[in-house]
Amino acid sequence: QVQLVESGGGLVQPGGSLRLSCAASGSIGSINAMGWYRQAPGKERELVARVTSGGSTVYADSVKGRFTVSRDNANKMVYLQMNSLKPEDTAVYYCNADLRKLGTLTSRDYWGKGTLVTVSS
């Protein structure tokens, strides 16, 4: 069993900051990329930011310069620091990991249940 559990969502005013955390646990052999996706009401899920095991990062254009993704490989954690938040950042944020379970040969995507971020005055 593999679990990804997010924390840190909530209500914040425009211009404010939030930090999301995600912990991976269970029968994990290795983790490749980890990152964050989001889904706003009525929209498709989209990539926000992703970081490889080697530290390479990818960001959506809409969050570049405002959000920072980081990870702690030893503790199987990934973080998303969100600054200068805008109302359009309001969404459910999902943690994602491309990982290989113990006893298997291939990796696949795993998802957390999501945490709601609401940016509103």
Side-chain angles (χ1 to χ4, degrees), residues 29-86:
S30 61
I31 304 177
N32 301 317
M34 298 184 79
W36 297 89
Y37 288 70
R38 68 185 180 187
Q39 187 165 19
K43 295 189 176 182
E44 294 187 355
R45 190 174 297 189
E46 63 175 2
L47 172 69
V48 176
R50 213 160 185 231
V51 55
T52 67
S53 57
S56 297
T57 56
V58 174
Y59 292 93
D61 287 343
S62 59
V63 308
K64 283 180 182 176
R66 301 188 297 123
F67 291 11
T68 302
V69 64
S70 60
R71 64 189 280 178
D72 177 348
N73 290 329
N75 291 302
K76 301 182 180 65
M77 300 281 297
V78 64
Y79 305 96
L80 185 68
Q81 178 65 43
M82 304 185 292
N83 299 328
S84 303
L85 282 160
K86 305 175 181 180

Side-chain angles (χ1 to χ4, degrees), residues 83-106:
N83 299 328
S84 303
L85 282 160
K86 305 175 181 180
E88 51 263 43
D89 294 317
T90 295
V92 177
Y93 284 70
Y94 296 91
C95 178
N96 168 267
D98 174 28
L99 65 84
R100 179 182 61 80
K101 285 184 65 175
L102 284 171
T104 65
L105 298 177
T106 58

